[in-house]
Structures are given as C-alpha cells and as structure tokens.
Amino acid sequence: MVTVDADALSQVLGAVDLRIGIARRVSLDEGALLPVPTDRITLVYVAAGGVHGHPPLGEGCRLDVDPGSQRITVDSPIRRDLLVAGDALLSLGGSPFALEAEGDTSLMVVDLELADATSPLRALLPPFLTVTGFDALEPAAAALAENMGLVDPASCPVRQGDPIICRMMAQTVLLSVIRAWAANGCAPAGWPSLSNDPFLDRVLDAIREEPGRDWTVERLAGIGAMSRSTFAERFRTAVGRSPADYVTEVRIDAAKRMLDAGRSVSDISRELGYASDEGFSRAFRRRTGMTPSSWRLAHRIPVPA
C-alpha cells in the first residue's frame, strides 16, 4: 500500500481554490448517457444506481471499506468499470468520455473551475480518478454531496450568499475526494511530486517551506545541485512554468491561507518577502483577479440573516 506524507497532502489540498462550483442533480434512465465535459473539471457522486464508462474507466484503485470495523482493503490496480451508489469520480477533462446508467440512476454532478488557471492540480492528478466506497470513507462529505444538487436549478430562486456557499460546499467535497484517493493508498508511488526528479523535488520543498525567502535562480539551482542554465531548463520542462512563476504561485497560495486565518495584509506581505503592501497586492491581484481584501470578503462564510 502506497502511503502519502501528511504534510505533502496538506499542501496539495491547501492550494486548491475554486472560482466556480455549480452542482446539479441528474437522473438517468437505464442505458442513458451522460457526456462528461472535456474543457473543465467535473466531479460526479453516484447517489443511486450505477454507471460505467465509455470508453471504460479502465484500471483503477478499489477501496473496500468494512461498515462495522471501518477497515479499508486496497486492491490496486483492478479493472472496475462500474461505479455504484456511494462511489465518486473526478475528471480533469481532456479526453472525451461518457457515463452510461445501469438501471435507474441518480448522480450529483459538479462543474468546477479553479480560481488560478495555472494551478498545479492538473499536473498532480491523473486525467480521472475514482474513489469507491466514498460514502464510507468520508460520510460527512458524501452526505453533503448527495444533497447539494438541485433537480431544477431554474425553479429555485438565488438567495443572497448562495454562490459563495455553493462554491464552498463543492470545494469541501472535492478536497474530500482527493484526500480519500490519496490518503487510502490509491496515489502512485512518489505522489505528489510535480517533477519525479529528486533534485527538483528538493527545490520545490525548499520553496514551499520558505515562500518568503529571496529565491533567485542561482540560489535555487544551488539547492538542486545544478548549473543555472541546466536548472532553469529542467525546472520548466518538469513543472511547466518558470522558477519565478512557481515561487509566486506558492506565495499567493500561502497568502490565501493567511487571509483565511485573519492575518493582516501588512503581516502577510512582510512574511512573504514583498517590499511593500502595494507590491504584494499587485501580485495577488494579477494572480487571482482580486485584491487581498476583496478575496477575504468573497471567501468569508456568510452569516445567516
């Protein structure tokens, strides 16, 4: 069974930020097809019935959970195309496929959009992943998933704060699916390495541990035991962006967590190595489209009237 470092998993989950999370409930008759979009991230929870893939979902990781003891048995890899009530599927898009209903089926489907288009989530996860027995592994998140989709969204008036609440609900379910997949032995060996390169992993770890340090290319190359030119080329090839862009990404992800914790903009800008509050705010806005203060307000849980 492959185990995942708890701190590494926390870093992955903490970096996920949704801009949109729209849920809907879909009822399918036996044999009906539900196309899964190729241009967005889609989360599917099987509330009743079952589905199989076209093309088949292929080899994956099956998690068998004993209801009494909560003991988890992992069979990986195993060919299991059929997903049944209580299972979850996450598709990152890219390859067209559809789900076909096995009998009368009810699905909760969430269309997701990341707040940061350069998020490493797509690089860290396979094109799609399945979590069997999600309802047993994450009962609270499964209950949330089963009840968050409207049968007819057009018939339900939008109340103040609903988009924020829906996005937060969708993010909770998404993070729970990723955590269940990774923490229970379905992640591949070495996950969540972005680079599959121990020297570059050492660099990435250093950036995440000290995001506010003055990270020059020379300093990072030294940590990776490479020349400046070799490091820059290997980094961009493996991670898909420049070292400077990755440092900014890590800093903004850290800033979001600090804003959630109630830290002031001045404290955050100093800790993350920015020369001024204005410089930090400009970098944050370029990355998220919002000022730090606006982002904090948008992500605050609304207080019921």
Side-chain angles (χ1 to χ4, degrees):
M1 176 175 176
V2 177
T3 58
V4 175
D5 180 80
D7 290 338
L9 178 57
S10 295
Q11 289 172 349
V12 172
L13 298 181
V16 176
D17 180 26
L18 296 185
R19 189 173 77 86
I20 294 175
I22 302 174
R24 65 187 188 278
R25 186 171 292 274
V26 177
S27 297
L28 299 174
D29 296 329
E30 182 173 5
L33 292 175
L34 175 69
V36 176
T38 60
D39 59 348
R40 69 185 72 128
I41 300 173
T42 305
L43 176 63
V44 178
Y45 177 75
V46 184
V51 291
H52 63 266
H54 288 285
L57 297 176
E59 293 186 349
C61 181
R62 179 187 172 94
L63 304 171
D64 290 317
V65 186
D66 181 81
S69 65
Q70 291 296 297
R71 183 185 180 93
I72 301 170
T73 303
V74 180
D75 294 321
S76 180
I78 185 170
R79 184 164 294 281
R80 183 178 191 262
D81 184 45
L82 181 65
L83 299 180
V84 298
D87 293 347
L89 163 73
L90 178 64
S91 167
L92 271 70
S95 299
F97 79 101
L99 297 172
E100 180 178 349
E102 293 271 341
D104 293 339
T105 297
S106 177
L107 305 174
M108 188 282 294
V109 182
V110 188
D111 297 321
L112 306 170
E113 184 177 327
L114 298 173
D116 186 351
T118 63
S119 169
L121 190 65
R122 294 181 185 274
L124 288 172
L125 296 176
F128 63 84
L129 59 89
T130 58
V131 178
T132 59
F134 179 67
D135 56 346
L137 292 166
E138 299 279 353
L144 183 64
E146 190 165 354
N147 291 284
M148 66 184 288
L150 298 171
V151 175
D152 183 9
S155 68
C156 181
V158 176
R159 298 168 296 175
Q160 185 177 10
D162 271 4
I164 296 175
I165 294 172
C166 289
R167 186 185 68 234
M168 295 179 68
M169 292 169 67
Q171 182 151 331
T172 297
V173 177
L174 171 65
L175 297 184
S176 298
V177 168
I178 297 173
R179 179 176 63 185
W181 172 80
N184 291 290
C186 284
W191 193 88
S193 171
L194 268 176
S195 66
N196 293 317
D197 182 323
F199 293 98
L200 286 180
D201 283 344
R202 193 161 60 191
V203 174
L204 299 176
D205 288 342
I207 295 171
R208 289 192 290 258
E209 288 170 6
E210 297 184 85
R213 191 172 179 181
D214 181 18
W215 289 119
T216 63
V217 173
E218 289 81 4
R219 181 168 290 163
L220 293 172
I223 292 174
M226 305 176 214
S227 69
R228 187 181 184 278
S229 58
T230 298
F231 166 73
E233 181 179 353
R234 282 173 64 174
F235 191 99
R236 183 177 288 277
T237 299
V239 182
R241 69 209 75 177
S242 69
D245 192 51
Y246 183 78
V247 170
T248 299
E249 175 187 300
V250 172
R251 286 179 173 177
I252 299 307
D253 287 341
K256 292 174 183 176
R257 294 191 291 272
M258 294 178 191
L259 288 168
D260 277 341
R263 300 277 298 276
S264 71
V265 170
S266 293
D267 283 347
I268 295 171
S269 65
R270 283 195 298 271
E271 185 166 332
L272 294 180
Y274 289 94
S276 66
D277 295 355
E278 291 76 15
F280 163 61
S281 295
R282 285 195 299 271
F284 191 94
R285 186 165 189 168
R286 282 196 299 269
R287 201 78 185 186
T288 67
M290 307 172 74
T291 65
S293 298
S294 297
W295 189 92
R296 192 203 306 270
L297 286 173
H299 287 73
R300 182 174 294 166
I301 301 175
V303 178

